[in-house]
Amino acid sequence: MAQPKFIIAVRVNEFKTRDLNPHVPFSPEEIAQVTFECWRQGASVVHFHAREARTGAPSNDTAIYGEIIRLIKERCDIITFPTLGAHKAPSVGDRVAHILALAKDPATKPDCIPVDMLTTNMAVYDSSSKKFEAEESVYTNTIGTLRHICEAVNKVGVKPVSEIWNVASVRCTEAFVDMGLFQQPVYCELPLFEDRIRTHGHPGTIRGMQALLDFFPRSADWQWSAHSHANTFAIAAAAIEAGGHAAIGLGDYHYPELGIPTNGELVTHLASMARWMGREVAGAAEAREMLGMS
Amino acid sequence: MAQPKFIIAVRVNEFKTRDLNPHVPFSPEEIAQVTFECWRQGASVVHFHAREARTGAPSNDTAIYGEIIRLIKERCDIITFPTLGAHKAPSVGDRVAHILALAKDPATKPDCIPVDMLTTNMAVYDSSSKKFEAEESVYTNTIGTLRHICEAVNKVGVKPVSEIWNVASVRCTEAFVDMGLFQQPVYCELPLFEDRIRTHGHPGTIRGMQALLDFFPRSADWQWSAHSHANTFAIAAAAIEAGGHAAIGLGDYHYPELGIPTNGELVTHLASMARWMGREVAGAAEAREMLGMS
C-alpha cells in the first residue's frame, strides 16, 4: 500500500529566546513571515506561541494571537495550530478563552489546538549539580479539564489535537475517542524529551517514539506526528518509514550543529529527507483533508 | 550465566474488600498468619496495608502497623514492605510518620517502603457509560516530595523501593540513583494497570512491562519485580524468563478464574511456574542479600 503523503509541522518559537539562535520569531509579522517561508518549503501545519514583539516575553493577548493568524492567512493556507493560554492559571476558561474568541471571526479562527493528555511532574534535572530544578513543579491536566477543553473547542469547530507524552496518554486518547471528544481521523503528536527533562515523558530517541506507537490501537485512523526537543531528524526518519509525520522547529531546539539555521531551512531539510526516503510531502490542502480539517 | 534466584513478593490486601474473595486479610493477626503461609510457600517479601480489623477500612494507625510487623517477625524472616500513609494528606510528614516511628524499635522496623515515582491523573474509565469516574483525581508526588521521602527513610535504615509506573519513572529513578537517594542494588517494582485505570500507566501485558524495561540503564544493578492489577501470570512468566522477579496477591486481583484462592495458593502457583521454567525460588535471607537489605 502506498504511504500517505508526509505532513511537516513547524514549531516556530515556543518560549525560546534569541540567545542561541536569533531566527526565533516574536512579533506577529515575524511569525507570519517565517510561517510563509516554511509553507513554501513544505510545512503544512504551524504551531506558535504569541510573544511580546520586543522582549519575546510570553503573551496571552488574544489580539496578538488574532493578528498572527490574520497575517498568516493573508499569505498562505497553512493549518494554524496556536498554543493554549495561561499555563500558570489552569482554569479551563483561561486556557481556551483566546481560542473561543478567535474562532468567532473566519479571519482569525485557528484550525486546531494541542491537548496535553496527562498530569506530570515538570522538574528538570541538572546532572552536573545532581539536583532537580523546580522540584515542586507539576503540570496539572485533570481528566475533567481535558474533557472541558475538548468540548469547548469542538463546539466552535476547532479540532483538538491529542498530545501523547506517555503510554497513559495513548490509553486516555482511546477513551476520549470512545467518548466522541476526539473525532476520526484523530490527529496526535508525540513530543519526546531530552535527558534533562526526564520527568516529563519518553526520551527523544526512536525507541522512545516506538514505545508509544506500540500501544496505538491497531485499526484506528490516527494520524501521528513525532518531534524531539533536541535534534529531531532520527525520529523524523523513523516516522517517515513508519507512515507517520514529523514536526521540527527552533521552538524545540536551536540546532547549533547546523550553524544558525532558520525555521525554513529546517523544514527544507526535513522535506528533503522525506523525498530521499520515497515519501511525497503533503501540501496544506492535502494535509487538511488527511487530518479531517476542512 | 546462571539466573539469580526468583524473588516472590506477595501483596496481601491493599484496599480490597471481601465481597469478591473472603480471604483478604484485615487484622494484624490475619495479615501475619497469611504472610506466614505465603512465606512457607516461597514468598520472601510481603506488602501490606493496615486495615480496621472489623470493617476493613483503611487505617493510618501506627500501632496497627507495628502490631502487624511484630506478629510477622515472630513467625518468619520475610522482608516487610508496608505502604506509605495518608494518601489524602500528601504532606511528606504524614506519609512517612508511621515508618519513622516504627523504625525506632527493631521489633517493628520495616525493611522497605514504596516510592511512587510520578505525578499522574487517577481517573477511572467506565467504557459502558463512556464516562470517567473521579475526573479531578490526581495523585501528586512532586520531585521534592519524593526526595524528602527517600531522605527520611534512608536516614533510619529503611530502603526506599522505586515504583516505576511509566517511562518517566525509569528516567527519574536514574536521577535518584545519581543523587544517592536510591542505592545499589536498586530494588524497583513495575506496577501495571488494566484497561479501566488507563490514566495511571502501562497496560498489564508483557508488552506493557517490556516498554518499561526497554529504558532501564544497561549496566546498572536494578533488581526489578513486575505485577499486574489483573491476572499476573503472563507478566510473571516474562519476568522469570528475563531474570526479573514478580509479585502477586489478592490485594491486586481476586482471581475468580481460580475459584476463590488464598494468597498462599497464588504464591504456590507462582513458585511452581518459576521452577517449571528452571528458576529457583529465593528464600527470604537470600532475597535480603540480593536486594541489599541486611
Side-chain angles (χ1 to χ4, degrees):
Chain A
M1 196 175 76
Q3 285 200 320
K5 291 195 177 180
F6 178 61
I7 297 171
I8 297 174
V10 63
R11 296 163 50 83
V12 294
N13 62 357
E14 302 289 309
F15 296 126
K16 283 284 188 298
T17 65
R18 287 176 176 162
D19 300 355
L20 297 171
N21 189 316
H23 299 304
V24 176
F26 290 163
S27 72
E29 184 63 36
E30 289 164 2
I31 292 171
Q33 196 51 41
V34 163
T35 297
F36 178 61
E37 178 62 21
C38 292
W39 172 82
R40 287 183 55 211
Q41 299 300 332
S44 48
V45 180
V46 59
H47 177 67
F48 56 90
H49 288 227
R51 309 279 293 263
E52 299 292 339
R54 255 159 224 261
T55 63
S59 167
N60 285 315
D61 188 335
T62 302
I64 295 182
Y65 275 99
E67 186 66 6
I68 296 167
I69 296 175
R70 190 188 318 274
L71 292 174
I72 290 172
K73 290 195 183 205
E74 284 173 14
R75 285 168 171 81
C76 60
D77 65 343
I78 199 166
I79 292 167
T80 52
F81 187 22
T83 199
L84 292 189
H87 291 76
K88 304 282 177 184
S91 91
V92 177
D94 287 342
R95 293 189 46 192
V96 298
H98 63 304
I99 302 298
L100 303 185
L102 296 166
K104 289 178 182 159
D105 180 349
T108 61
K109 181 178 171 179
D111 292 295
C112 54
I113 52 98
V115 185
D116 292 318
M117 296 296 289
L118 83 171
T119 292
T120 179
N121 289 331
M122 290 288 275
V124 171
Y125 189 60
D126 176 6
S127 56
S128 62
S129 68
K130 301 202 175 194
K131 283 187 179 155
F132 277 93
E133 296 157 23
E135 270 196 331
E136 296 306 313
S137 176
V138 173
Y139 181 31
T140 303
N141 296 290
T142 66
I143 293 293
T145 297
L146 297 173
R147 177 172 65 79
H148 286 301
I149 290 173
C150 289
E151 286 172 349
V153 300
N154 278 328
K155 204 173 290 179
V156 297
V158 172
K159 189 177 180 90
V161 178
S162 172
E163 300 289 321
I164 290 177
W165 298 35
N166 64 22
V167 173
S169 299
V170 180
R171 303 170 83 201
C172 270
T173 299
E174 280 192 274
F176 271 46
V177 172
D178 194 42
M179 294 163 80
L181 295 168
F182 292 134
Q183 275 155 25
Q184 310 272 3
V186 170
Y187 180 25
C188 54
E189 287 200 312
L190 283 55
L192 304 165
F193 300 92
E194 79 270 25
D195 230 38
R196 266 172 60 75
I197 48 182
R198 62 178 84 198
T199 56
H200 302 30
H202 287 213
T205 59
I206 293 171
R207 177 166 280 198
M209 180 184 86
Q210 190 61 46
L212 297 170
L213 296 174
D214 281 347
F215 296 91
F216 273 38
R218 276 166 205 257
S219 60
D221 181 11
W222 290 21
Q223 297 289 334
W224 59 271
S225 173
H227 63 272
S228 170
H229 287 78
N231 187 307
T232 214
F233 284 104
I235 292 161
I240 293 165
E241 181 195 61
H245 310 287
I248 199 165
L250 296 179
D252 291 328
Y253 183 57
H254 61 290
Y255 287 88
E257 55 272 53
L258 302 182
I260 306 173
T262 64
N263 277 297
E265 286 164 354
L266 295 177
V267 170
T268 305
H269 296 331
L270 188 50
S272 297
M273 181 182 259
R275 289 191 200 98
W276 298 339
M277 293 177 69
R279 267 185 81 183
E280 282 186 73
V281 174
E286 294 167 318
R288 237 170 243 284
E289 192 165 341
M290 291 164 67
L291 302 177
M293 289 182 275
S294 51
Chain B
M1 197 176 75
Q3 284 201 320
K5 290 195 178 180
F6 178 61
I7 297 171
I8 297 175
V10 63
R11 297 163 51 81
V12 293
N13 61 357
E14 302 289 307
F15 297 126
K16 283 284 189 297
T17 64
R18 288 178 175 161
D19 299 355
L20 297 172
N21 188 316
H23 300 305
V24 176
F26 290 163
S27 72
E29 182 64 36
E30 289 164 2
I31 292 171
Q33 195 52 41
V34 163
T35 298
F36 178 60
E37 177 62 22
C38 292
W39 173 81
R40 287 183 55 210
Q41 300 300 331
S44 48
V45 180
V46 59
H47 177 66
F48 56 89
H49 288 228
R51 308 279 293 265
E52 299 292 340
R54 256 159 223 260
T55 63
S59 168
N60 286 314
D61 188 336
T62 302
I64 295 181
Y65 276 99
E67 186 66 5
I68 296 167
I69 296 175
R70 190 189 318 272
L71 293 175
I72 290 173
K73 291 195 184 204
E74 283 173 14
R75 285 169 171 79
C76 60
D77 66 343
I78 199 166
I79 293 167
T80 53
F81 187 20
T83 197
L84 293 189
H87 290 77
K88 304 283 177 180
S91 92
V92 177
D94 287 341
R95 297 201 28 203
V96 297
H98 62 305
I99 303 297
L100 303 184
L102 295 167
K104 290 177 184 162
D105 179 351
T108 60
K109 182 177 170 180
D111 293 294
C112 55
I113 53 97
V115 185
D116 292 318
M117 296 296 289
L118 84 170
T119 293
T120 179
N121 289 332
M122 289 288 273
V124 171
Y125 189 58
D126 176 5
S127 57
S128 61
S129 69
K130 301 201 174 193
K131 281 186 179 157
F132 277 94
E133 297 156 23
E135 271 195 329
E136 296 306 313
S137 177
V138 172
Y139 181 32
T140 304
N141 297 290
T142 67
I143 293 294
T145 297
L146 297 174
R147 177 171 66 77
H148 287 299
I149 290 173
C150 289
E151 286 171 350
V153 300
N154 278 328
K155 203 174 291 180
V156 297
V158 172
K159 188 176 181 89
V161 178
S162 172
E163 300 290 320
I164 291 178
W165 298 34
N166 65 20
V167 172
S169 298
V170 180
R171 303 170 83 200
C172 270
T173 299
E174 279 192 275
F176 271 47
V177 171
D178 194 43
M179 295 163 81
L181 296 168
F182 292 133
Q183 277 156 23
Q184 310 273 4
V186 170
Y187 180 25
C188 55
E189 288 200 310
L190 283 56
L192 304 165
F193 300 92
E194 80 270 24
D195 230 36
R196 266 172 60 76
I197 48 183
R198 61 179 84 199
T199 55
H200 303 29
H202 287 214
T205 58
I206 293 171
R207 175 167 281 196
M209 180 185 88
Q210 191 59 48
L212 298 170
L213 296 174
D214 281 347
F215 296 91
F216 274 40
R218 276 165 206 258
S219 60
D221 181 11
W222 291 19
Q223 297 289 334
W224 57 271
S225 173
H227 63 273
S228 169
H229 288 78
N231 187 307
T232 214
F233 285 104
I235 292 161
I240 294 165
E241 181 195 62
H245 310 288
I248 200 164
L250 296 180
D252 291 329
Y253 183 56
H254 61 292
Y255 286 88
E257 55 273 54
L258 301 183
I260 306 172
T262 64
N263 277 297
E265 286 164 353
L266 295 176
V267 170
T268 304
H269 296 331
L270 188 49
S272 296
M273 181 183 258
R275 290 191 199 99
W276 298 339
M277 293 177 68
R279 266 185 82 183
E280 281 185 74
V281 174
E286 294 166 317
R288 239 170 240 284
E289 192 166 340
M290 292 164 67
L291 301 176
M293 288 183 275
S294 51

